[in-house]
Amino acid sequence: ATEQLVYFAHWITPEAIPERFSARFFLIRAPEGAAVEPDGREVLHHRWLEPAEAIALRRQGDIHLMEPTVRNLELLGAFATTEEALSELNRRDVQTILPKLKVHADGSRSLIYPWQDEYRTA
């Protein structure tokens, strides 16, 4: 059913980070009762959650989610239904997101995103 996949996001690891990835995100309606089998390496456990619930659990420290996943959950949470998300996301162009790594004077690091003013000068 790959023709039903909706490509909606593309994130690339900041160039300053040695371990790089280029991750594309897709949305599809899961069939009722769909079985999920974690791969045991990157995905150890699973459970079905609404976007807002997953974000809240991350905020509480109960689950670990990478920043691209959180941003995508925020995007998906803006839609009232799966059908609305599929329809709307299928119509938009996917913009690649390549954050930049900023190293502060104290050695701490933060990510700067393309939608932030500081991005152009970082």
Side-chain angles (χ1 to χ4, degrees):
T2 56
E3 69 280 354
Q4 296 175 24
L5 289 170
V6 173
Y7 172 45
F8 73 93
H10 180 204
W11 284 71
I12 299 176
T13 312
E15 293 173 350
I17 296 178
E19 190 173 324
R20 307 283 313 282
F21 68 76
S22 177
R24 288 170 168 78
F25 294 83
F26 298 85
L27 182 64
I28 192 169
R29 173 176 276 295
E32 193 68 37
V36 177
E37 294 183 30
D39 66 5
R41 292 182 310 249
E42 186 172 348
V43 179
L44 303 177
H45 307 283
H46 86 279
R47 60 183 150 161
W48 296 107
L49 299 169
E50 294 289 330
E53 183 182 6
I55 293 167
L57 288 171
R58 179 193 191 237
R59 214 174 284 125
Q60 296 166 10
D62 294 336
I63 62 174
H64 176 73
L65 298 173
M66 301 298 290
E67 192 63 24
T69 302
V70 173
R71 298 290 178 151
N72 288 331
L73 287 170
E74 290 171 346
L75 172 65
L76 294 172
F79 299 105
T81 65
T82 302
E83 288 73 23
E84 180 185 348
L86 288 165
S87 175
E88 293 299 318
L89 293 174
N90 199 35
R91 284 192 266 254
R92 69 179 211 149
D93 291 330
V94 174
Q95 302 297 315
T96 299
I97 299 171
L98 174 59
K100 293 181 181 178
L101 183 68
K102 180 176 183 176
V103 180
H104 303 277
D106 66 359
S108 64
R109 305 178 331 167
S110 62
L111 292 177
I112 303 170
Y113 298 97
W115 52 84
Q116 295 175 301
D117 291 337
E118 187 178 358
Y119 188 84
R120 288 185 292 288
T121 59

